[in-house]
Amino acid sequence: MMRKYWFEILLVIVVMTISAYAAFSDAQNLSNRWFIRDDAYYYFKVAQNISEGHGSTFDGINRTNGYHPLWLWINVPVFALARFDLILPLRILLLLLSGLTAATAVLLYRLIGKVITPAIGAVAAIYWAFSKEVLVQVYQQGLETGIAAFFIALFAYKLFEFEKSWRTQPVTPRQLATLGVIAVLVIFSRLDLVFLAGMAGIWIVFRRHSLRYLLPLDLVFIFVSVLLAIIFRVTFREYFKYTDVAATMIALSLVVARPSRTPALAPTRSRRHSRSRHHPR
């Protein structure tokens, strides 16, 4: 077991050791070096209020839904500890984000290692785990991007396994249920990822049909054509005043435009025509 997964185990140990050192450092480091965006504290305060029975509110007066649900649900039990120590939830959250970093790096190692080579997968995993740019953009801000990246990587890995197996083995309900659950988690991690889950659903449902390739292209064409039409009409500067119109038009286009089934061409068969030969008597 150790020989087979030595790289993954070593990667997780190194990442979690470094994060443990950061998590239990001085309290001021958590706000000066981690969780540096105000948006994160909207999550944290709403989660704290929910854990204390005040409902989904930031200020204790007005209701709010300005968050992505999965990351908030994870934050609720963490920030229930804020009644004992205000800094303790931040320390735990730092460890949790580091665990997501390591898990995502392992998934990238496995996926890219199977698609290309394990060496390239290892390079990608190390870059993801120790790149400062990835740290700042994905994890350091304390937002939902860390868990969204994890579920995207997990979804891609499971889709790769499914794509390899369905051509040679019968598809089981367990496989479809697993992909469905992960797709729901992808959506709840960031609600705009519903488009990714939808495209993956088309790819799975129409796996034996030519619509698998044609329908995603139709959807992309609808999105692009609607957005370009509105931008061309009102200019890009004024576009954001008409986002509701664009969303409504895209939704109606998706309902009205029905996928057309292209009939399969019947295979042509070469026919041998017998020619009568006249022989002289």
Side-chain angles (χ1 to χ4, degrees), residues 19-177:
S19 64
Y21 175 80
F24 295 101
S25 62
D26 293 339
Q28 61 184 3
N29 291 331
L30 297 173
S31 58
N32 291 335
R33 299 180 180 274
W34 285 80
F35 313 122
I36 53 178
R37 272 192 73 175
D38 294 343
D39 293 5
Y41 294 92
Y42 285 101
Y43 271 104
F44 301 163
K45 189 60 180 178
V46 173
Q48 182 183 2
N49 285 332
I50 292 176
S51 69
E52 294 176 357
H54 303 305
S56 179
T57 177
F58 176 78
D59 56 8
I61 301 174
N62 301 294
R63 298 294 179 183
T64 182
N65 60 356
Y67 47 76
H68 296 282
L70 184 58
W71 185 236
L72 182 76
W73 296 341
I74 292 174
N75 276 259
V76 169
V78 173
F79 280 89
L81 301 173
R83 67 191 69 186
F84 307 110
D85 184 355
L86 288 174
I87 304 301
L88 181 59
L90 299 180
R91 300 186 189 278
I92 295 175
L93 207 61
L94 196 157
L95 293 173
L96 179 60
L97 286 169
S98 299
L100 290 172
T101 305
T104 306
V106 169
L107 288 171
L108 290 175
Y109 168 69
R110 293 185 179 184
L111 178 61
I112 297 175
K114 290 181 177 181
V115 174
I116 308 177
T117 62
I120 302 299
V123 172
I126 292 173
Y127 174 80
W128 186 269
F130 302 108
S131 169
K132 184 177 180 180
E133 183 177 356
V134 173
L135 174 67
V136 172
Q137 298 296 327
V138 181
Y139 299 104
Q140 197 172 20
Q141 300 173 10
L143 297 174
E144 72 285 340
T145 47
I147 196 167
F150 168 74
F151 280 115
I152 290 173
L154 179 61
F155 196 36
Y157 181 70
K158 289 298 182 181
L159 284 174
F160 172 76
E161 290 186 334
F162 178 80
E163 188 67 19
K164 287 182 62 179
S165 66
W166 72 264
R167 287 181 169 84
T168 57
Q169 301 174 1
V171 177
T172 63
R174 182 176 180 180
Q175 285 179 300
L176 297 178

Side-chain angles (χ1 to χ4, degrees), residues 225-238:
S225 60
V226 169
L227 294 178
L228 288 180
I230 293 179
I231 291 173
F232 180 78
R233 179 65 180 84
V234 302
T235 73
F236 185 76
R237 180 177 298 178
E238 300 294 327

